[in-house]
Amino acid sequence: MRKRSFAGFIAGGIFAALSVVPAIAGEPGAKPSSIAPAHMARVGTVDERFQSYNIEMVEITGGRFWKPYASTQTANPSGGNQPTGMSASLYEFRKPIDLYNPRLRKLAAALGPAYVRVSGTWANTTFFQDAGATASDKVPDGYKAILTRKAWKGVIDFSNAVDAPIVTSFAISAGTRDASGIWTPAQAKEILDFTQANHGVIAAAELMNEPTMPEMGGSPKGYSAADYSKDLAVFHAFLKQADPKIIILGPGSVGEEGMVIPPVSNIMRAKDILAGAAQYFDAFSYHTYGAVSSRCSSMGRAANTTLDAALTEDWLARGDKGEQYYGALRDRFMPGKPMWNTETAQTACGGDRWASTFVDSFRYLNQLGDLAKRGVQVQAHNTLAASDYGLLQEYTFEPRPNYWSALLWRKLMGTTVLEAGASPAASLHLYAQCLRNHPGGVALLAINASETDAQSLNVPVKSERYTLTAKAQ
């Protein structure tokens, strides 16, 4: 880790700050810059559950998800439920996550209130079992996995225990379709009815995960934007009658802004989806990753990154770049509708080798601050506890550095976004929001990405500072 760079918050009295900056204030060469919390203008608000997280559907059912770099597993079960066209060597089999684990629940609850998104590519082809079926039953034709009622009850109980209403999507594979190939809501109704009967809350839903890569996600061959619009019309009519409180999200697109190049030839463009379906969405959802991990470099078309680039301005701005691209589409097709980033992390394909280290806290916090300022209402990190980009180590649930960043954000940053003022240096990123649960208070996030230059800020009011740092490596 770069010895000059660190992260921290300052809190107390009427002022609090989270800072990710180099060395201590007053170091030789640093020129103190004053901030004025009393004069910070309000620029917007975010959802109370702005910082949220994903638990992939494959974690709930059990199955093959991105194999961690440090894994010692050498063999995988034959077959598998990985996305269409992807190499089995990229994945590792997992048993279903234990959502009743006390440590997992305690750590997740500390991030609440939040949303827990249970979706992902695997959700597109997962069958919700009928009453009386068992987990050992054969997967029905037209699907790749089974979601048992017991497993979904675990999601409901977890959601209620940690104050994280559910965001989800539904199966859209061949098994869900009628004779003419149109999507039917039978499976979605089973899940919705069961959730309501067991006192669960689905706050928002997408029809499917990432329609921009339809065949990779399990849709019928040749699936088009026109097909999606027909399916979405059915989905909209069903959901507005079944539970009109559920926010319909979409399109949930990924990989069009030039940072992630999908390994497929049939990419469905978000603009084509929105041209025929924008009227069905209550909020605009999108996914963003700064690059594809080296795990998937064999694709040959992936946009990768390196550890050496982790503190560069280009890398830190990747989240902003994604929002600009999809924000322009929102403004064109759904003006005024809220923006939700429902899946995001360091890199796609499970995260790079340094996704679980402190250096990614700079990107993680910068993206939170930047997207809040840009008006994105919800950002759901992928994942809570799976593969290298998990906030928690997936088998022990030990917190990783990004978890502590997430916890301090949760404790300090309120829902009102402020203008922090001009930064004294290009490498010093400043973000401010009202201090959570302290009327009149301010929380400041300061991120110094420089490896050589210390920065200093004069805080004119009583305050406390929380600093996140790591030993030099």
Side-chain angles (χ1 to χ4, degrees):
M1 189 45 237
R2 279 75 171 163
K3 65 179 180 179
R4 284 297 220 160
S5 305
F6 69 87
F9 280 94
I10 302 170
I14 66 165
F15 180 77
L18 155 65
S19 45
V20 189
V21 295
I24 60 173
E27 188 171 332
K31 297 180 179 180
S33 178
S34 295
I35 56 174
H39 300 288
M40 292 179 178
R42 299 190 179 201
V43 297
T45 60
V46 294
D47 193 290
E48 171 68 11
R49 303 174 190 275
F50 169 73
Q51 181 183 239
S52 295
Y53 49 83
N54 280 258
I55 298 176
E56 291 272 349
M57 182 65 78
V58 69
E59 295 180 72
I60 307 301
T61 63
R64 295 151 66 83
F65 192 59
W66 303 111
K67 183 177 181 179
Y69 293 104
S71 174
T72 58
Q73 181 171 305
T74 57
N76 285 295
S78 61
N81 57 344
Q82 69 266 3
T84 300
M86 300 297 285
S87 170
S89 65
L90 302 176
Y91 301 93
E92 178 175 285
F93 182 80
R94 274 93 160 169
K95 295 179 180 179
I97 187 172
D98 179 9
L99 295 178
Y100 294 94
N101 181 281
R103 186 180 198 183
L104 176 64
R105 286 193 170 195
K106 184 175 183 178
L107 293 170
L111 300 181
Y115 294 111
V116 55
R117 180 175 179 265
V118 181
S119 179
T121 301
W122 289 259
N124 292 346
T125 55
T126 295
F127 176 78
F128 185 64
Q129 71 171 178
D130 298 321
T134 67
S136 61
D137 285 352
K138 180 181 180 295
V139 178
D141 291 341
Y143 300 91
K144 291 185 177 180
I146 289 178
L147 172 63
T148 68
R149 291 180 172 231
K150 180 180 179 182
W152 192 249
K153 178 63 162 55
V155 172
I156 294 169
D157 291 345
F158 176 86
S159 166
N160 290 333
V162 304
D163 191 8
I166 300 165
V167 177
T168 193
S169 64
F170 301 96
I172 49 78
S173 53
T176 67
R177 301 182 176 278
D178 63 19
S180 61
I182 301 297
W183 182 84
T184 64
Q187 274 283 289
K189 186 177 187 305
E190 288 267 2
I191 292 176
L192 194 60
D193 288 349
F194 183 83
T195 303
Q196 293 172 339
N198 287 275
H199 312 292
V201 175
I202 295 178
E206 295 163 311
L207 168 61
M208 65 179 289
N209 182 72
E210 298 180 349
T212 35
M213 296 182 283
E215 291 183 25
M216 179 179 173
S219 70
K221 188 174 180 59
Y223 193 74
S224 67
D227 296 324
Y228 180 86
S229 294
K230 292 176 184 177
D231 291 344
L232 191 63
V234 176
F235 178 69
H236 180 272
F238 157 70
L239 210 55
K240 290 304 179 184
Q241 180 178 12
D243 190 343
K245 297 187 299 298
I246 296 177
I247 298 168
I248 298 179
L249 300 171
S253 302
V254 70
E256 298 177 88
E257 70 278 38
M259 296 184 295
V260 176
I261 304 173
V264 292
S265 57
N266 61 318
I267 297 176
M268 189 191 303
R269 299 294 178 183
K271 64 181 179 62
D272 297 327
I273 294 172
L274 292 164
Q279 69 271 23
Y280 298 121
F281 299 126
D282 299 318
F284 187 105
S285 67
Y286 72 104
H287 300 170
T288 185
Y289 293 92
V292 172
S293 74
S294 57
R295 181 182 288 105
C296 290
S297 60
S298 60
M299 292 176 182
R301 301 170 56 195
N304 297 124
T305 189
T306 65
L307 178 60
D308 289 339
L311 298 180
T312 63
E313 293 304 304
D314 173 71
W315 178 252
L316 295 177
R318 295 294 177 95
D320 177 80
K321 182 179 179 180
E323 192 282 332
Q324 287 186 51
Y325 181 89
Y326 286 113
L329 290 178
R330 187 279 307 268
D331 293 344
R332 176 182 172 187
F333 292 100
M334 297 168 55
K337 293 291 181 71
M339 289 275 289
W340 288 39
N341 187 0
T342 51
E343 186 180 311
T344 186
Q346 177 233 26
T347 56
C349 295
D352 248 321
R353 295 179 185 275
W354 46 278
S356 61
T357 70
F358 176 66
V359 72
D360 190 49
S361 294
F362 292 80
R363 177 213 57 84
Y364 181 89
L365 289 168
N366 191 74
Q367 186 167 318
L368 286 173
D370 187 53
L371 294 192
K373 190 173 180 179
R374 296 186 67 85
V376 174
Q377 291 300 297
V378 175
Q379 174 170 281
H381 176 77
N382 203 33
T383 61
L384 178 61
S387 201
D388 294 280
Y389 49 24
L391 296 177
L392 308 174
Q393 203 280 338
E394 62 183 277
Y395 298 114
T396 66
F397 301 133
E398 178 182 355
R400 288 169 167 166
N402 275 345
Y403 177 84
W404 301 115
S405 297
L407 183 64
L408 281 174
W409 179 282
R410 176 64 242 171
K411 298 299 183 183
L412 299 177
M413 303 297 265
T415 58
T416 299
V417 184
L418 306 172
E419 177 54 67
S423 171
S427 63
L428 182 60
H429 300 239
L430 301 177
Y431 303 102
Q433 294 181 202
C434 286
L435 181 60
R436 185 174 297 278
N437 299 325
H438 286 79
V442 172
L444 177 74
L445 165 61
I447 302 172
N448 184 6
S450 174
E451 298 182 56
T452 58
D453 298 328
Q455 298 293 334
S456 182
L457 293 173
N458 286 329
V459 180
V461 293
K462 181 180 179 181
S463 61
E464 293 181 358
R465 170 171 151 180
Y466 296 82
T467 300
L468 298 174
T469 189
K471 295 179 179 179
Q473 295 180 356

